[in-house]
Amino acid sequence: MGKASSGEMLQGTLPLIVLRILYAGPDHGFAIARRIQVISKDVLRAEEGSLYPALHKMELEGWIESEWGITENNRKAKYYRLTPLGRKQLKLETERWNSIAAAIGAILMEA
Amino acid sequence: MIRKLKLRLRALFRRDDIGNELTLHLEQLTDELIAQGLNPQEARRAARRQFGNLTRIQEQSRELFSFGLVEDLLRDMRYGWRSIRRSPSVGVAAVLSMGLAIGVNTVVFSLIQEVFFSKPTTRAAGDLVTIRVGGSSHASLANLRDLDASGSFEKVAGFDVETTVNWRTGDAVRQTPVMLVSENYFELMETRPVLGRVFSGGEARAELNPHLVLITHRLWTRRFAQDPAAVGRTLVLNGRPYTVLGVLPEGFRPPTFLNTLPDLYVPASLELDPSLLMRQSHTLMLVARRKAGQTIEQAYAALQVVANRMARDNPKENAGIGKSIRLRPIGSLADPDTAPLIAFSAVLVVAVFIVLWIACVNIAGVLIARAAARRREIATRLAIGASRGRLVRQLLAEALLLASLGTLAGLSLHWYLTKLLNELSLPLPVPIVFQIEPDFKLVVYAIALTAIAALLAGLMPAWQATRPGLTSGLKMEEPQYGYRRFTFRNGLIVAQVAITMVLVSVALLFARSLARVHSIDPGFDLQHTAWARVSVLSDRYDKGHVFLFASRALETAVGVPGVRSAALSETVPFNNFMRIGQPIQTKASAIGVEYYGNSVSPAYFETMGIPVVAGRPLAASDRKGAPDVVILNEALARRLFGDGPAVGERIWFGDSKQGPGVEVVGVAANSKHLTMGENQAFAVYEPIARTQPAKTEINVLVRSAGDPASVVVGLRGALSALDNTAAVEVGPLRTRLAFAYLPSQIGAVFVGSLGALGLVLALIGIYGAMTFAVSRRTAEIGIRMALGASTWQVLRAILGTSVGALCTGLAIGIGLAVAAAHPLALFLAEGVTPMDPITFGSVILICLSAGGVAAIIPARRVLSIDPMGALRVE
């Protein structure tokens, strides 16, 4: 847990990040957490305490679906996969993020 | 929506899913840390630290997926099940109480549904309407055909359930009710038989005298053991062979009201009713199928137009036919004839709800007792932070469990009772048959009842149990030593006793009414009389010859061994009657009266045991051609002649005093004619040899030397030998008039058994409450005894409040019962008023002694308490 505050997720961005990572292909919880860490070069960390509830909530929303499978090192794991609905949601959230980022950027430039 | 439900269900049944997933994550984290060089133990600890609170995450997700309520409920029910298993006898008593209550509730529900709401077996039953024209319940076949041809409806057909045929099987001929139907009846009903076929309009026309019959599935099963070869066989009806054309589907229901379900369906024909084709002869009730999309209002308007046209086309026979028309959907309850039935159903519904309420109170008692025993547990849980709602839910779950088990028991009872009802054949002149099948509505009703019962039985105890202060609960203190006289439990006893009083009073009123009806002296002898009814076929005898045949039947009956005397009678009391309203003139005055008229042969009074109190009985010489004579009953003689002698006076029937008049030759004692309840009805007896009625039903009444049952066989044989197409029905008058008692019998049986049931249930409840009071206060009893209290004092202290509650309940109950009994006057026999003192006296006695019995065992337990042992209880 005890990482610097920079490692914490921005409110409400975890689903977007998870959706984007699953866009690349099905994966299980542990791998998702690792990938977030690796891709963001350790800037972002998905804490287990928020990752799993978020995954379960997204499953309930129908954006992702799950299935038990076997990991590369022969462990049983629950794999999450993007659904068509999830793809749509990813597009929606990406657009929203871009517009927010652009807006914040504009404010930072102008002010 | 469905997907969410699926996921939740999966979470419910695969609880470990989330746990597994998280554990796996933890393991992978550990692996990684080991790979980084930590030793396994440290790695595990570090992973754990990094991961955070495993359970919290798990719960967070689980809450997301779960139906929290359902899971809690299941858990609570499992818990409840364990505590029931611990004291099975209490649980069994509660479940049985609830089972009986749910059983009778669902049976009454099914009965009401069956009698009032069952739909005829046809496509789109809602499109069927009953039609009346000219204010008459029946219409002529000619008018039916005009209505059908008018095109205002898709089809108009007719039927009649008051027709009987003489059905010969072997040597026996039985008068059997049939459904007489118009040729297009089954085309309107669109009936698909299970075997054979239904008749079509072409082959079943009345003019062709079709000898075709359809039988019900019920008859096919009982008479033919479902033999497929039954189709094509012949039944001898009215002396002619009728071919069985087909078997109607199981549970077939024609559009008749009140479960009149004959077993034979025959086309109306000239042979069965020679006047069938006459336009004035109203033979058939009308049923029509509305055209698609036609509303009731449109159908009514269309009927009005056709009726007006029919009145114009046949002004003489159809006069006024358009003035009073009626069109109603099938099964409409608006018929005034059904008012008493609806009222009686309401009484039943109230009674079964009272039984349900008593059962709920019983379960509430059980739960309160159990909750009180768990007082410490409940207080502890409250203290460590369980919400009150959560604990209330738990007790509700127990109530629900008991109620659900009770419902299962109740539905088995329902199954058994409706099976009995379906096989019941009522001693009625019309074929009233029940065909109750459990259906979806019943299940919904049972579930609703269960929920209501669980709430009623569970909510109050739950509220009560979670109320007391924490400290006293934790210390196992009983907060009501002596001071609070009115406790919730005593409140339950009061309510239970009061409600039971109402039920038992109503039951006793019905029972008293029944006893009363049975004890009423009908004014004629029922002990030594038998009644033979010979129904001859109208086409075998000319008008005058029927009476000749009747005379032969009388002679034959007199010759049967064991017969002391025999008489012909045009009417038989309670069975059929002629009520005549017209003025009777005497020399002095003209008096308008309504009287029962009857034509009898000379031995009638001797045979029936009706004393002739003045003058002479009728004689063989009183016949056609001889001077007119009559016998009056006492009531009429007094009405016409006051206290003066009637014998020898002359009277004139009708408005004028023309001719020599009729001589009163005798006065007979009063007797009952139509109902047991009637009082001092007027009657006139005329010599049958003079009136010579041409009715095809001949009644021979017989007085036997001994038991009337002993002459039945001889009588039937002798009378059957006279005409092998005639239906002969013989039996003791007593049994054959049994249906006169039927309304009060049905009332007494239904309400009486409910009353008994309620009493037993209340007894269980009171017993439970008192036993519980004793067991809760064992320690106190010990102290009192140790301090030297006498047995009597202890008894008074312990059971005093319960007995007080019992008496309060009695007092309230009497008030309620008096109020409740008032609307019942409609169903009670004359002489039994709703305020009947004997009834209420016995009710108080019954309830008091029941309360006493319920108190004996707890009282004995008090007496057997050993003070030392009692003190050590805690």
Side-chain angles (χ1 to χ4, degrees):
Chain A
M1 297 180 140
K3 275 268 165 180
S5 63
S6 64
E8 278 171 16
M9 288 279 176
L10 217 55
Q11 190 86 36
T13 52
L14 183 58
L16 169 62
I17 293 168
V18 172
L19 286 173
R20 180 59 187 84
I21 285 175
L22 288 180
Y23 184 68
D27 229 329
H28 53 90
F30 183 78
I32 294 172
R34 277 287 162 272
R35 285 183 63 124
I36 292 175
Q37 209 176 339
V38 170
I39 295 174
S40 73
K41 303 196 171 55
D42 262 349
V43 174
L44 296 176
R45 287 197 69 156
E47 284 174 22
E48 289 76 4
S50 37
L51 176 64
Y52 283 98
L55 278 172
H56 296 150
K57 187 163 175 295
M58 286 161 73
E59 187 180 10
L60 213 55
E61 293 289 346
W63 302 340
I64 57 178
E65 50 194 22
S66 66
E67 201 176 36
W68 284 97
I70 305 292
T71 66
E72 54 272 30
N73 45 10
N74 256 347
R75 279 184 194 280
K76 245 180 79 165
K78 204 171 180 186
Y79 277 80
Y80 291 92
R81 185 183 333 121
L82 214 55
T83 65
L85 202 68
R87 237 175 272 274
K88 229 180 277 170
Q89 185 67 22
L90 173 61
K91 204 168 152 245
L92 215 78
E93 298 227 353
T94 312
E95 276 163 16
R96 207 171 61 198
W97 171 258
N98 284 340
S99 72
I100 288 174
I104 292 177
I107 290 169
L108 291 181
M109 295 292 238
E110 295 294 315
Chain B
M1 204 47 227
I2 290 170
R3 188 191 60 243
K4 287 191 183 182
L5 198 70
K6 229 165 70 188
L7 282 170
R8 287 188 173 169
L9 280 176
R10 196 176 69 188
L12 190 64
F13 293 110
R14 292 173 53 189
R15 310 220 40 143
D16 304 333
D17 238 34
I18 296 169
N20 281 346
E21 189 180 11
L22 296 181
T23 316
L24 198 110
H25 186 109
L26 209 54
E27 282 170 10
Q28 277 172 316
L29 203 58
T30 314
D31 286 351
E32 210 177 61
L33 290 169
I34 292 172
Q36 284 169 19
L38 285 161
N39 72 42
Q41 208 176 353
E42 270 175 77
R44 237 189 312 278
R45 215 174 298 139
R48 213 49 203 256
R49 214 165 35 238
Q50 190 182 336
F51 200 86
N53 187 341
L54 188 76
T55 319
R56 202 177 56 84
I57 298 173
Q58 214 167 318
E59 279 306 309
Q60 223 172 330
S61 283
R62 201 167 275 164
E63 216 152 275
L64 202 63
F65 283 109
S66 73
F67 319 80
L69 267 177
V70 175
E71 284 186 44
D72 281 353
L73 189 67
L74 287 177
R75 193 162 41 235
D76 289 345
M77 283 178 113
R78 271 199 298 273
Y79 187 81
W81 174 245
R82 280 202 299 274
S83 64
I84 290 171
R85 289 273 303 276
R86 265 201 301 278
S87 45
S89 62
V90 183
V92 166
V95 167
L96 280 186
S97 305
M98 189 52 77
L100 289 170
I102 299 271
V104 293
N105 264 286
T106 46
V107 166
V108 166
F109 174 82
S110 286
L111 261 180
I112 288 175
Q113 215 196 327
E114 168 82 1
V115 172
F116 295 114
F117 299 106
S118 46
K119 292 256 180 296
T121 316
T122 180
R123 174 184 66 86
D127 286 347
L128 295 195
V129 290
T130 55
I131 289 179
R132 284 189 181 192
V133 288
S136 163
S137 62
H138 290 59
S140 64
L141 183 62
N143 278 344
L144 183 156
R145 284 173 174 171
D146 287 352
L147 275 169
D148 191 29
S150 73
S152 298
F153 300 93
E154 198 180 306
K155 217 172 229 36
V156 180
F159 63 91
D160 177 62
V161 286
E162 286 160 31
T163 309
T164 58
V165 296
N166 291 352
W167 180 9
R168 164 175 289 279
T169 41
D171 280 340
V173 180
R174 278 182 54 88
Q175 200 176 25
T176 311
V178 295
M179 171 91 86
L180 206 63
V181 298
S182 61
E183 62 254 14
N184 58 352
Y185 181 83
F186 287 103
E187 289 170 357
L188 178 137
M189 293 292 287
E190 300 179 13
T191 307
R192 281 195 209 96
V194 288
L195 202 65
R197 58 185 182 90
V198 295
F199 36 77
S200 63
E203 64 187 329
R205 282 182 74 82
E207 293 84 344
L208 302 174
N209 281 327
H211 290 169
L212 304 172
V213 59
L214 290 171
I215 62 176
T216 58
H217 193 276
R218 187 173 49 239
L219 185 79
W220 184 49
T221 307
R222 288 193 186 163
R223 186 61 72 92
F224 298 106
Q226 302 204 347
D227 179 5
V231 170
R233 279 213 213 153
T234 52
L235 307 180
V236 181
L237 307 179
N238 283 358
R240 298 190 185 86
Y242 279 65
T243 308
V244 176
L245 205 57
V247 178
L248 295 170
E250 190 170 4
F252 177 76
R253 212 181 275 278
T256 50
F257 193 55
L258 296 183
N259 289 74
T260 317
L261 306 172
D263 277 330
L264 302 177
Y265 289 72
V266 294
S269 68
L270 280 172
E271 273 172 4
L272 292 170
D273 181 356
S275 64
L276 187 67
L277 294 179
M278 284 155 50
R279 203 173 276 278
Q280 313 89 306
S281 165
H282 296 173
T283 320
L284 300 167
M285 299 178 91
L286 298 179
V287 56
R289 182 181 289 283
R290 280 185 282 150
K291 282 183 177 170
Q294 194 181 34
T295 65
I296 294 285
E297 289 74 25
Q298 288 164 345
Y300 186 87
L303 175 63
Q304 184 68 66
V305 172
V306 186
N308 289 343
R309 197 175 64 219
M310 285 162 64
R312 275 198 309 276
D313 290 350
N314 295 285
K316 212 171 92 214
E317 297 94 335
N318 284 347
I321 209 172
K323 285 202 187 97
S324 165
I325 63 169
R326 204 185 80 175
L327 182 142
R328 284 202 185 129
I330 286 285
S332 148
L333 292 182
D335 203 320
D337 292 351
T338 61
L341 259 171
I342 291 174
F344 183 68
S345 309
V347 173
L348 280 187
V349 168
V350 171
V352 292
F353 267 114
I354 290 179
V355 170
L356 182 66
W357 161 254
I358 295 175
C360 287
V361 171
N362 277 357
I363 290 195
V366 170
L367 288 178
I368 284 182
R370 193 167 284 155
R374 285 204 323 235
R375 184 178 227 94
R376 182 178 273 166
E377 174 206 328
I378 289 171
T380 310
R381 290 181 60 180
L382 280 173
I384 60 174
S387 73
R388 189 173 173 187
R390 182 71 191 78
L391 288 177
V392 168
R393 276 216 307 271
Q394 178 179 335
L395 291 166
L396 270 182
E398 285 199 42
L400 183 61
L401 178 69
L402 288 171
S404 304
L405 290 174
T407 301
L408 285 183
L411 287 179
S412 334
L413 184 66
H414 174 275
W415 176 81
Y416 178 71
L417 285 179
T418 51
K419 214 177 92 165
L420 283 186
L421 274 174
N422 285 347
E423 283 162 9
L424 190 69
S425 72
L426 293 166
L428 285 173
V430 279
I432 289 191
V433 173
F434 298 109
Q435 28 193 39
I436 299 173
E437 292 292 330
D439 61 358
F440 180 66
K441 284 184 212 152
L442 175 76
V443 174
V444 171
Y445 183 69
I447 290 174
L449 278 185
T450 314
I452 291 172
L455 273 182
L456 272 180
L459 212 47
M460 290 304 275
W463 206 247
Q464 165 88 3
T466 52
R467 200 178 51 184
L470 287 179
T471 35
S472 70
L474 286 171
K475 282 191 271 172
M476 278 300 268
E477 270 169 14
E478 177 71 30
Q480 50 222 20
Y481 278 102
Y483 303 115
R484 282 174 53 198
R485 291 190 68 80
F486 185 83
T487 62
F488 183 70
R489 229 172 300 127
N490 283 334
L492 279 187
I493 297 187
V494 170
Q496 196 161 29
V497 171
I499 287 285
T500 308
M501 280 280 294
V502 175
L503 201 56
V504 174
S505 325
V506 173
L508 265 192
L509 273 178
F510 272 87
R512 281 261 303 150
S513 173
L514 178 67
R516 177 89 197 175
V517 167
H518 270 289
S519 68
I520 289 175
D521 177 10
F524 52 85
D525 188 6
L526 282 169
Q527 303 305 323
H528 301 95
T529 40
W531 166 27
R533 186 177 61 188
V534 185
S535 315
V536 297
L537 300 178
S538 56
D539 53 351
R540 284 179 70 96
Y541 297 92
D542 290 338
K543 258 195 170 168
H545 289 101
V546 178
F547 182 68
L548 283 181
F549 177 81
S551 308
R552 265 175 60 211
L554 179 60
E555 280 164 34
T556 311
V558 171
V560 170
V563 170
R564 226 182 230 173
S565 71
L568 293 174
S569 178
E570 191 173 358
T571 68
V572 172
F574 303 146
N575 176 60
N576 54 351
F577 62 95
M578 292 184 293
R579 193 151 50 184
I580 303 157
Q582 64 174 356
I584 296 180
Q585 322 253 350
T586 67
K587 265 183 210 139
S589 59
I591 296 170
V593 287
E594 202 173 66
Y595 61 89
Y596 290 100
N598 194 5
S599 295
V600 298
S601 68
Y604 178 80
F605 299 100
E606 180 196 344
T607 305
M608 290 292 275
I610 300 174
V612 175
V613 293
R616 63 166 175 91
L618 295 171
S621 56
D622 299 321
R623 59 164 61 165
K624 230 174 189 164
D628 258 5
V629 297
V630 290
I631 287 182
L632 307 180
N633 74 346
E634 274 181 293
L636 185 56
R638 175 154 300 141
R639 179 81 183 83
L640 295 179
F641 304 105
D643 291 332
V647 176
E649 292 285 341
R650 300 195 84 78
I651 57 173
W652 291 263
F653 291 100
D655 294 319
S656 69
K657 222 186 273 191
Q658 277 177 348
V662 185
E663 189 192 349
V664 178
V665 294
V667 176
N670 292 331
S671 61
K672 307 287 180 190
H673 297 269
L674 186 57
T675 66
M676 283 293 183
E678 75 190 25
N679 208 10
Q680 306 268 312
F682 300 139
V684 172
Y685 302 94
E686 292 179 86
I688 201 167
R690 196 176 67 71
T691 57
Q692 300 207 353
K695 290 182 183 163
T696 52
E697 277 187 7
I698 297 155
N699 297 304
V700 183
L701 294 162
V702 156
R703 183 173 195 77
S704 60
D707 183 358
S710 63
V711 299
V712 165
V713 175
L715 215 50
R716 185 183 296 131
L719 292 174
S720 300
L722 294 177
D723 175 350
N724 67 1
T725 62
V728 178
E729 282 167 79
V730 190
L733 197 55
R734 187 181 189 67
T735 51
R736 299 209 48 197
L737 295 185
F739 67 85
Y741 303 110
L742 203 63
S744 45
Q745 251 165 351
I746 290 178
V749 165
F750 270 104
V751 186
S753 36
L754 287 181
L757 186 59
L759 190 65
V760 170
L761 292 187
L763 210 75
I764 296 175
I766 294 171
Y767 165 76
M770 288 193 172
T771 311
F772 177 71
V774 172
S775 71
R776 286 301 294 154
R777 295 170 71 177
T778 308
E780 182 197 347
I781 296 168
I783 295 172
R784 281 175 189 261
M785 285 177 140
L787 292 179
S790 72
T791 315
W792 174 242
Q793 278 169 324
V794 171
L795 271 183
R796 209 174 52 185
I798 303 303
L799 296 181
T801 46
S802 299
V803 172
L806 189 70
C807 293
T808 316
L810 279 180
I812 296 174
I814 289 175
L816 285 179
V818 167
H822 251 288
L824 297 180
L826 183 61
F827 306 105
L828 300 177
E830 200 142 324
V832 180
T833 63
M835 301 288 288
D836 191 44
I838 299 179
T839 303
F840 282 99
S842 349
V843 171
I844 294 173
L845 213 65
I846 290 174
C847 286
L848 268 182
S849 36
V853 169
I856 284 178
I857 301 175
R860 285 183 47 152
R861 196 169 292 176
V862 170
L863 298 182
S864 65
I865 283 174
D866 162 32
M868 279 322 288
L871 283 174
R872 282 202 205 98
V873 157
E874 288 176 37

